[in-house]
């Protein structure tokens, strides 16, 4: 029994003294533009990555993540909450304190990024697929103009409908 305890203690000591796992990011097989996306005056860029067995699914997922990032560059609603809980019980030296803090953040975005395109794809050796998506500022301007024209058309149709109703009401009151 004493040998078993000694072996367990040696094992615990060995595990406790082992080097902690490295949390550094391995950037050897990663495109340059992933950590520092391209920037230009005529376009916005966003990146995404995915690791799936099916390459088409990986490409679709990576592009979706990049487009989500683009949408957050355009506009994002951020909600946040912090909860603090503190409790103390006991008297004098035997008092025990408990403190708990929780922070939660939620980001929601909803934008149209029509016209965005996959500018580059990088397949890493481990199966990860990196995607760079480009969103031309000319496309942003065209989308904004199109939305404004559409809103103006809708307003004109609504005003035409209201005028038609007014004339129908006038006709009914004359009869």
């Amino acid at each position: 029994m004493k040998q078993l305890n000694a072996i367990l203690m040696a094992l615990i000591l060995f595990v406790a003294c082992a080097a902690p796992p490295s949390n550094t990011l391995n950037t050897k097989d990663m495109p340059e533009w992933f950590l520092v996306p391209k920037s230009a005056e005529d376009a916005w860029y966003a990146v995404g990555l995915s690791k799936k067995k099916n390459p088409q699914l990986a490409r679709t997922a990576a592009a979706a993540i990049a487009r989500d990032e683009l949408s957050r560059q355009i506009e994002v609603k951020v909600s946040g909450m912090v909860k603090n809980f503190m409790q103390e019980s006991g008297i004098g030296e035997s008092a025990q304190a408990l403190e708990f803090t929780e922070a939660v953040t939620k980001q929601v975005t909803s934008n149209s990024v029509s016209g965005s395109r996959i500018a580059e794809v990088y397949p890493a050796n481990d199966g990860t697929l990196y995607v760079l998506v480009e969103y031309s500022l000319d496309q942003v301007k065209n989308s904004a103009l199109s939305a404004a024209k559409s809103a103006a058309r809708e307003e004109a149709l609504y005003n035409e409908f209201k005028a038609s109703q007014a004339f129908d009401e006038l006709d009914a009151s004359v009869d």
Side-chain angles (χ1 to χ4, degrees):
M1 188 68 170
K2 287 185 179 184
Q3 277 185 327
L4 182 61
N5 285 342
I7 292 172
L8 285 174
M9 290 301 287
L11 184 62
I12 291 172
L13 184 61
F14 176 74
V15 170
C17 294
S22 175
N23 288 336
T24 59
L25 185 61
N26 181 6
T27 58
K28 290 180 183 173
D29 191 20
M30 183 182 290
E32 271 185 38
W33 46 259
F34 183 75
L35 293 177
V36 183
K38 292 182 177 183
S39 63
E41 292 184 16
D42 61 340
W44 286 341
Y45 292 91
V47 295
L49 72 95
S50 181
K51 186 174 182 178
K52 309 272 185 214
K53 289 187 184 230
N54 180 319
Q56 180 59 43
L57 187 57
R59 186 175 193 267
T60 300
I65 291 167
R67 287 188 174 109
D68 176 66
E69 183 180 326
L70 269 176
S71 182
R72 282 184 275 121
Q73 287 178 23
I74 296 167
E75 178 183 23
V76 65
K77 291 182 182 180
V78 179
S79 301
M81 175 176 63
V82 176
K83 291 182 184 179
N84 252 343
F85 174 80
M86 292 180 270
Q87 178 182 356
E88 187 173 317
S89 62
I91 301 173
E93 294 291 320
S94 66
Q96 293 183 356
L98 172 68
E99 184 174 348
F100 177 74
T101 302
E102 178 182 37
V104 179
T105 303
K106 177 174 89 171
Q107 296 183 16
V108 179
T109 182
S110 176
N111 296 296
S112 173
V113 289
S114 60
S116 63
R117 68 177 193 86
I118 295 175
E120 289 190 43
V121 176
Y122 179 87
N125 291 330
D126 68 352
T128 304
L129 195 65
Y130 296 88
V131 171
L132 178 70
V133 171
E134 176 185 61
Y135 192 36
S136 163
L137 292 182
D138 287 337
Q139 185 64 39
V140 173
K141 291 174 191 173
N142 291 340
S143 294
L145 286 173
S146 176
K149 287 177 183 176
S150 177
R153 273 193 304 266
E154 286 180 25
E155 186 176 356
L157 287 173
Y158 177 73
N159 288 336
E160 190 176 317
F161 170 72
K162 292 299 278 181
S164 173
Q165 275 187 325
F167 282 121
D168 289 345
E169 213 175 286
L170 178 62
D171 288 342
S173 66
V174 169
D175 291 340

